[in-house]
Amino acid sequence: PSLAEALERDHGDCFNIICNTIIKNQAFTARLHPQILVAADAHFHFSYHRYSARFLSDLVAFLDGSGATFYTFDKFAAFLRRRIPEIAGRVCGMPACRKAYGFDFDQDFSLFPGDSVLNMFLLPLGSFLGQEVVLNGFTGRAPSDSFFWSHSELHQYAELMEDVRQAHPAFFRNRDYGQYANTVDDAIKLRVTAAREAGKGMRSATTSFYTAFQA
């Protein structure tokens, strides 16, 4: 939800990386001119339900109208290249086989496994590509949230979420969402600390409940 705080700001002097269903907001993404889009969740983005179909449709439209490259895991990239061959040249697949966290992609073009697209892709890519990493819209889990965390309906297919739950019930059943959020938060701290120790600036420009961005 905190991405609303960034919608009217000028991001024109930045190398912009966006993720997931933010591409639903076509006016905002067109104004951002992002260079990279990332998505890597099998249950949401690469499945057989209407949520996934909507995302893939929006993905094709986004790539057709931009100069961006789509980054995902190598196994999903192979799936996409076969399913949607017209975007094959715009899809970059990265393996998740690092033994420890790092962002020296010139030396090792692979990712350190973890929870959330922020931890696995956005923070390491941002740390590799820039000296000052500024995050917008990574609200995290508010104390009042009952799900993973809240989303903005401008950037999420809220009306199709039930399709995901029906297709993958075990993914949601008996899950401790609070504990999951803590796990994500701990992983963010590790990555933010590594970036800052390497001389990188890293901060959130919008409201965030992640403790690493509150210091």
Side-chain angles (χ1 to χ4, degrees):
S2 65
L3 189 58
E5 300 168 25
L7 293 180
E8 301 305 320
R9 293 178 186 162
D10 182 5
H11 306 274
D13 61 345
C14 304
F15 185 102
N16 292 311
I17 306 174
I18 60 174
C19 70
N20 299 348
T21 56
I22 188 177
I23 54 176
K24 175 185 178 183
N25 189 339
Q26 296 179 9
F28 181 50
T29 53
R31 192 160 57 83
L32 279 178
H33 299 293
Q35 286 85 356
I36 293 175
L37 166 68
V38 176
D41 194 315
H43 299 89
F44 288 87
H45 306 123
F46 306 108
S47 189
Y48 59 90
H49 45 65
R50 292 186 299 164
Y51 186 108
S52 177
R54 171 70 185 277
F55 171 75
L56 294 179
S57 175
D58 283 352
L59 171 63
V60 172
F62 167 75
L63 293 177
D64 283 346
S66 74
T69 301
F70 179 57
Y71 278 61
T72 188
F73 290 125
D74 51 354
K75 58 186 177 182
F76 299 148
F79 160 79
L80 276 178
R81 292 187 187 113
R82 290 177 64 91
R83 179 168 175 175
I84 316 174
E86 61 266 32
I87 67 170
R90 308 279 295 282
V91 177
C92 179
M94 298 185 71
C97 56
R98 279 184 183 256
K99 301 303 181 184
Y101 178 69
F103 48 84
D104 52 334
F105 293 124
D106 284 334
Q107 303 298 319
D108 183 357
F109 191 69
S110 65
L111 300 161
F112 181 57
D115 293 285
S116 86
V117 69
L118 175 60
N119 279 318
M120 287 184 285
F121 283 90
L122 298 172
L123 292 178
L125 285 172
S127 299
F128 173 67
L129 292 168
Q131 283 298 115
E132 295 293 327
V133 180
V134 180
L135 295 102
N136 291 276
F138 292 94
T139 316
R141 193 171 194 268
S144 58
D145 288 339
S146 58
F147 191 45
F148 288 106
W149 35 67
S150 297
H151 294 87
S152 163
E153 292 197 8
L154 284 174
H155 308 104
Q156 171 71 287
Y157 312 131
E159 73 281 8
L160 300 177
M161 277 296 300
E162 186 57 29
D163 285 45
V164 187
R165 293 188 179 94
Q166 293 292 330
H168 304 287
F171 179 74
F172 300 94
R173 186 184 300 127
N174 299 325
R175 180 181 285 271
D176 187 332
Y177 293 110
Q179 182 56 50
Y180 176 81
N182 291 337
T183 298
V184 171
D185 201 3
D186 289 343
I188 291 173
K189 291 177 188 175
L190 182 154
R191 287 154 174 80
V192 170
T193 298
R196 290 174 176 166
E197 288 178 349
K200 309 282 185 175
M202 184 168 288
R203 64 183 177 86
S204 176
T206 56
T207 300
S208 179
F209 291 96
Y210 291 122
T211 56
F213 300 127
Q214 295 173 2

